[in-house]
Amino acid sequence: MSSPVNSPAVITCKAAVAWAPGEPLVLEEVAVEPPKPMEIRIKVVCTSICRSDVTQWESKAQPDLFPRIFGHEASGIVESVGEGVTEFEVGDYVLTVFIGECGTCKHCVSGKSNMCQKLGLERKGLMHTDQKTRFSIKGKPVYHYCAVSSFSEYTVVHSNCAVKISSSASMDRICLLSCGVSAGLGAAWKVADISKGSTVVIFGLGTVGLSVAQGAKIRGASKIIGVDTNPEKYEKGKAFGITDFINPDECSEPIQQGWGLTVTLGVPKVKPEVSAHYAVLLSGRTLKGSLFGGWRPKSDLPLLVDKYMNKEIEVDELVTHDMPFSRINEALNLMRERKCLRCVIHMSEQ
């Protein structure tokens, strides 16, 4: 059982700890420190499994960052607040976000970038503020993931890496807005800026890809082509706007032939380098990157929350499995074997 307290102090709770790359997670008793200045400690209610969780869990690129607690797509309730925090109070319902928005750096004040210079994508397994961890087991540090680590009953995040939401929101569904759904919608609306009558091709019809399709449909795209090696994705895709389907395994010519704008999303498992002949650019093709769909988390995510609450965007149908925390390894394997869209982990067994 978790042991929360009324005032900030170290608490103990269960967390799914990865002790080595690709090895099954182990439910351990971990100590969670109180929030430092400008941080909040959150009781995680639900967390969904994102493809990047699996990719980084399996990766052997940073073997020194173990033991580690993964997870970043989450909803929760503020349990305690650190010094200087005025935006949040104990009991507030929140979404975690894997990139923050400090509001003062050059990128944040520009209004044109979501690449916060103070609270950007964290890759060292530590907190942004002091480069230390907030988790430990028997006095030994346990590393974070994306400065969120939601595969734990309680976690600590920077207050600018969380967004307040309505207490009436469905916590087991709105958690998808923490990453996947928002990334896909933003890629369609903010990065590609799809216009009415456009033709859109989407490579990969997972949660992000289907969210791109939904965004394209809402923008009035005339043709939305889904490309995936799994033919079962077509039926699911139709509900999100897919009008045509291509299985590349059944094609003799490259699928990507043609002119236009290409937007990249997600984390590549292999060969992250990109190369192209200069003539390709001269012909009018454009390549753009997209992190979190270009959204500024604190400024823009409330808009998507409102759209979900007003039933203007579809999220619920992307959840294919609901599981208790004790079955998190099963959920990871479903994602690893591409047998799910989103598995939502319910932290309370009740």
Side-chain angles (χ1 to χ4, degrees):
M1 293 293 292
S2 303
S3 54
V5 293
N6 293 323
S7 58
V10 174
I11 60 173
T12 59
C13 69
K14 289 182 181 179
V17 178
W19 287 95
E23 292 189 3
L25 307 187
V26 181
L27 289 181
E28 304 274 14
E29 289 287 327
V30 300
V32 187
E33 293 186 8
K36 304 293 185 184
M38 298 307 297
E39 296 177 350
I40 59 176
R41 189 162 58 191
I42 298 171
K43 176 179 171 61
V44 179
V45 175
C46 289
T47 183
S48 40
I49 308 294
C50 177
R51 168 64 58 182
S52 61
D53 291 317
V54 175
T55 299
Q56 296 303 313
W57 163 53
E58 293 181 324
S59 174
K60 297 179 180 180
Q62 294 179 301
D64 294 338
L65 297 188
F66 288 84
R68 197 173 194 182
I69 299 173
F70 287 96
H72 63 284
E73 241 183 34
S75 59
I77 302 171
V78 176
E79 177 269 343
S80 56
V81 300
E83 181 183 348
V85 175
T86 58
E87 179 184 357
F88 298 100
E89 297 179 352
V90 172
D92 282 344
Y93 284 51
V94 297
L95 290 178
T96 60
V97 285
F98 66 94
I99 55 172
E101 183 182 350
C102 71
T104 59
C105 73
K106 182 179 180 180
H107 283 254
C108 286
V109 299
S110 74
K112 300 178 181 180
S113 170
N114 68 348
M115 303 298 290
C116 179
Q117 294 172 295
K118 295 181 179 179
L119 300 171
L121 188 60
E122 210 292 314
R123 300 175 183 274
K124 299 178 182 178
L126 306 170
M127 293 295 288
H128 291 97
T129 48
D130 60 3
Q131 297 294 291
K132 296 181 179 179
T133 72
R134 300 291 180 268
F135 298 106
S136 63
I137 295 178
K138 297 179 180 180
K140 295 185 178 181
V142 177
Y143 291 99
H144 297 246
Y145 176 61
C146 289
V148 176
S149 295
S150 57
F151 294 172
S152 173
E153 291 179 320
Y154 288 84
T155 190
V156 176
V157 303
H158 194 282
S159 59
N160 284 329
C161 292
V163 175
K164 190 183 301 186
I165 60 174
S166 169
S167 60
S168 63
S170 299
M171 300 288 270
D172 59 348
R173 296 297 181 261
I174 203 166
C175 55
L176 272 65
L177 288 178
S178 286
C179 180
V181 174
S182 299
L185 290 172
W189 292 345
K190 288 183 68 68
V191 184
D193 193 17
I194 294 170
S195 59
K196 185 176 182 180
S198 297
T199 295
V200 179
V201 183
I202 304 165
F203 291 83
L205 298 180
T207 296
V208 176
L210 292 176
S211 297
V212 173
Q214 178 178 191
K217 179 183 178 181
I218 293 173
R219 279 290 182 90
S222 60
K223 182 177 286 189
I224 306 173
I225 304 169
V227 181
D228 202 291
T229 55
N230 182 355
E232 296 179 3
K233 295 288 186 71
Y234 186 28
E235 288 303 313
K236 188 73 172 181
K238 288 179 180 178
F240 287 86
I242 297 295
T243 60
D244 301 85
F245 181 80
I246 296 175
N247 185 339
D249 290 343
E250 300 173 354
C251 298
S252 58
E253 296 182 352
I255 303 299
Q256 68 272 16
Q257 293 184 99
W259 166 88
L261 165 67
T262 297
V263 177
T264 63
L265 299 92
V267 180
K269 295 186 68 173
V270 294
K271 297 182 179 179
E273 298 84 7
V274 176
S275 62
H277 194 283
Y278 185 60
V280 174
L281 302 178
L282 286 176
S283 67
R285 296 184 185 181
T286 303
L287 175 64
K288 299 180 74 172
S290 173
L291 181 66
F292 196 51
W295 300 116
R296 295 171 297 159
K298 302 286 282 188
S299 300
D300 299 329
L301 195 52
L303 168 67
L304 295 183
V305 171
D306 288 344
K307 285 185 177 295
Y308 171 70
M309 298 294 288
N310 294 331
K311 302 186 184 302
E312 297 175 39
I313 56 174
E314 179 58 65
V315 174
D316 297 9
E317 291 302 312
L318 292 166
V319 177
T320 54
H321 299 76
D322 286 277
M323 295 184 175
F325 191 26
S326 58
R327 294 172 62 190
I328 190 168
N329 281 304
E330 183 179 342
L332 285 169
N333 285 329
L334 284 170
M335 178 63 78
R336 172 193 263 170
E337 297 167 4
R338 303 180 186 279
K339 294 181 178 179
C340 70
L341 287 174
R342 275 298 189 267
C343 292
V344 172
I345 301 299
H346 297 251
M347 304 305 286
S348 172
E349 300 287 335
Q350 298 179 351

